[in-house]
């Protein structure tokens, strides 16, 4: 079933906005650690991956998934730079570099993952006769 162009564009815009929110949350929280364990980084990657998988599986649309991922990457890019007053939200640390590379890798994996085979699309092995 194909959807109309305005509906698809609207879905992509909403997906981009949701991706922005998740990207901001992950970018701000990725540096949180408990002892040696990078809890914020792990939760940020798991949360973003879960959102991307949910969008991909629920919409069956790579465009929506890509829009969500672009929102995450834009948020990471914007908050990784220095602000107008010179403040930096994401200082250049090992965790920040891991977060910066993890987001596009997860987006690429989820968007490029092959479509699942549909049971109804496969020919039947049972032959009547």
């Amino acid at each position: 079933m194909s959807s109309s162009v305005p509906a698809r564009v609207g879905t992509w815009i909403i997906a981009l906005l949701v991706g922005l929110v998740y990207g901001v949350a992950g970018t701000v929280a990725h540096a949180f650690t408990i002892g040696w364990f990078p809890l914020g980084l792990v939760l940020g990657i798991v949360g973003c991956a879960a959102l991307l998988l949910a969008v991909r599986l629920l919409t069956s649309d790579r465009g929506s998934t890509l829009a969500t991922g672009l929102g995450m990457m834009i948020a990471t890019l914007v908050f990784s730079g220095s602000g107008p007053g010179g403040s930096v939200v994401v200082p250049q640390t090992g965790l920040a570099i891991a977060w910066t590379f993890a987001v596009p890798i997860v987006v690429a994996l989820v968007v490029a993952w092959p479509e699942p085979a549909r049971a109804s699309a496969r020919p039947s092995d049972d032959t009547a006769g």
Side-chain angles (χ1 to χ4, degrees), residues 12-110:
W12 294 339
I13 291 170
I14 291 170
L16 180 82
L17 294 174
V18 171
L20 281 169
V21 170
Y22 269 70
V24 168
T27 302
V28 170
H30 80 276
F32 180 74
T33 60
I34 294 181
W36 58 268
F37 186 71
L39 183 63
L41 179 66
V42 171
L43 290 178
I45 293 170
V46 169
C48 287
L51 174 66
L52 289 165
L53 283 170
V55 170
R56 176 77 192 269
L57 293 172
L58 291 173
T59 65
S60 298
D61 180 22
R62 290 177 198 251
S64 297
T65 309
L66 183 60
T68 306
L70 285 174
M72 291 174 186
M73 290 187 285
I74 289 169
T76 301
L77 176 69
V78 168
F79 282 94
S80 293
S82 57
S87 62
V88 177
V89 175
V90 182
Q92 190 171 0
T93 63
L95 288 176
I97 292 170
W99 174 251
T100 302
F101 283 110
V103 173
I105 289 170
V106 169
V107 171
L109 286 173
V110 175

